[in-house]
Amino acid sequence: MINVPKTSMMSAVSLIVPNVTKPVVKSVAPTVGKYLVPPAKKATLTSYSMSLLTGKGAMRVTSGIASTAQIRLAHTDLRVPDFSDYRRDAVKDSNKPTSESASSRRAFTYMVIGAGSVATAYAAKNVVTMFVSSMSASADVLALAKIEIKLADIPEGKNATFKWRGKPLFVRHRTAEEIAAEQAVDLSQLRDVQHDNDRVQKEEWLILLGVCTHLGCVPIANAGDYGGYYCPCHGSHYDASGRIRKGPAPLNLEIPEYVFPDEDTVLVG
Ligand code: FES
């Protein structure tokens, strides 16, 4: 049994059986040579024949031995936006050479880059400042970092002790005799050589950290062989300038940073 494609010539034949003894349906088709049915014509594979198989419109198919099969879409129906409002006036005319407007366009570009650089640097500076300041001490900690002392409350010849940054702070109101005695000390006798004038901003006010430089005990004021401070832990003697004079301590008592905002006040820290 052979299925025969319908053609205009074979419109009357639906089934042909190649058996001469008993044909099922009598053929009405004319014979061509020894063939009852001419062989179907093979379609030649060309661009045109393939294009007939594709959808109508802009789509095209190309094929061949030396070319790759490809489909090209003609985008002629796409609508392109008009950017004229965003383009510079100097370059809207395509007939004009761009070199004519190069200097003005370059100046504008440089201005934009410069302004952008300044803004970027400013933003970077702010970010770095915020980052660094986040690591610094907070306002309440800074408030504790400084101590303001009223000097009028400390009588002459007395030593007042305050707590500052977790340490004892000595403020000594020296007498004229103490000042004269400390200024007259022979520096060659000192272990940690320092003149009295280098340890005070105002002669009558001696401001010290009350921490023994040996092992950190708190010395006792107005005690010891030199009338300044005495550390009972291991027997270190300091004079009225806080200089080590006797005992195991290696250094003079430390002097913190301080200023006198006015005549009656000292600000330590
Ligand atoms: S700690 Fe002051 S003398 Fe040792």
Side-chain angles (χ1 to χ4, degrees):
M1 187 172 67
I2 300 172
N3 284 322
V4 179
K6 270 189 176 179
T7 66
S8 59
M9 186 176 70
M10 296 297 293
S11 61
V13 177
S14 61
L15 181 65
I16 297 172
V17 181
N19 186 343
V20 294
T21 58
K22 195 177 180 183
V24 176
V25 176
K26 193 176 178 181
S27 172
V28 294
T31 57
V32 180
K34 60 178 179 177
Y35 296 105
L36 183 60
V37 178
K41 217 178 177 184
K42 260 194 168 180
T44 310
L45 194 62
T46 64
S47 306
Y48 176 71
S49 66
M50 291 179 71
S51 71
L52 294 177
L53 302 174
T54 64
K56 300 303 180 197
M59 186 180 289
R60 294 287 182 271
V61 175
T62 301
S63 70
I65 296 173
S67 65
T68 56
Q70 54 184 282
I71 297 174
R72 295 190 176 184
L73 301 174
H75 299 286
T76 53
D77 57 338
L78 289 182
R79 301 183 66 189
V80 179
D82 182 12
F83 291 106
S84 298
D85 290 344
Y86 304 98
R87 299 179 65 193
R88 296 168 182 155
D89 292 337
V91 294
K92 278 183 181 172
D93 187 357
S94 58
N95 295 319
K96 272 188 178 176
T98 54
S99 56
E100 283 185 9
S101 59
S103 57
S104 64
R105 288 184 290 114
R106 196 174 295 136
F108 178 76
T109 304
Y110 289 161
M111 188 188 73
V112 170
I113 292 174
S117 303
V118 170
T120 305
Y122 182 72
K125 171 240 167 200
N126 279 351
V127 170
V128 171
T129 304
M130 282 172 55
F131 180 70
V132 172
S133 61
S134 70
M135 294 190 291
S136 61
S138 56
D140 56 332
V141 174
L142 285 176
L144 290 175
K146 291 180 183 289
I147 183 171
E148 189 176 283
I149 298 166
K150 289 285 174 205
L151 298 176
D153 297 339
I154 305 170
E156 190 173 332
K158 296 291 182 185
N159 182 89
T161 305
F162 302 88
K163 189 179 178 186
W164 175 68
R165 294 184 184 176
K167 297 175 184 174
L169 176 73
F170 293 160
V171 179
R172 187 186 186 102
H173 192 172
R174 300 195 299 183
T175 61
E177 294 77 38
E178 286 175 330
I179 295 168
E182 298 307 330
Q183 290 189 341
V185 168
D186 181 6
L187 297 183
S188 63
Q189 306 293 315
L190 298 176
R191 184 179 302 164
D192 184 7
V193 179
Q194 205 170 19
H195 195 275
D196 183 64
N197 290 340
D198 298 332
R199 293 179 59 78
V200 294
Q201 292 183 23
K202 290 186 177 180
E203 291 178 346
E204 64 272 33
W205 294 107
L206 176 69
I207 297 163
L208 301 167
L209 280 186
V211 179
C212 179
T213 58
H214 182 218
L215 292 177
C217 287
V218 178
I220 301 166
N222 296 321
D225 294 355
Y226 297 86
Y229 302 90
Y230 172 67
C231 181
C233 293
H234 308 94
S236 289
H237 299 253
Y238 299 89
D239 60 19
S241 189
R243 295 174 293 196
I244 181 65
R245 303 297 292 271
K246 193 171 152 187
L251 299 171
N252 301 335
L253 291 177
E254 185 182 343
I255 297 173
E257 284 190 14
Y258 64 92
V259 291
F260 293 97
D262 54 61
E263 282 299 309
D264 194 33
T265 309
V266 63
L267 185 67
V268 182

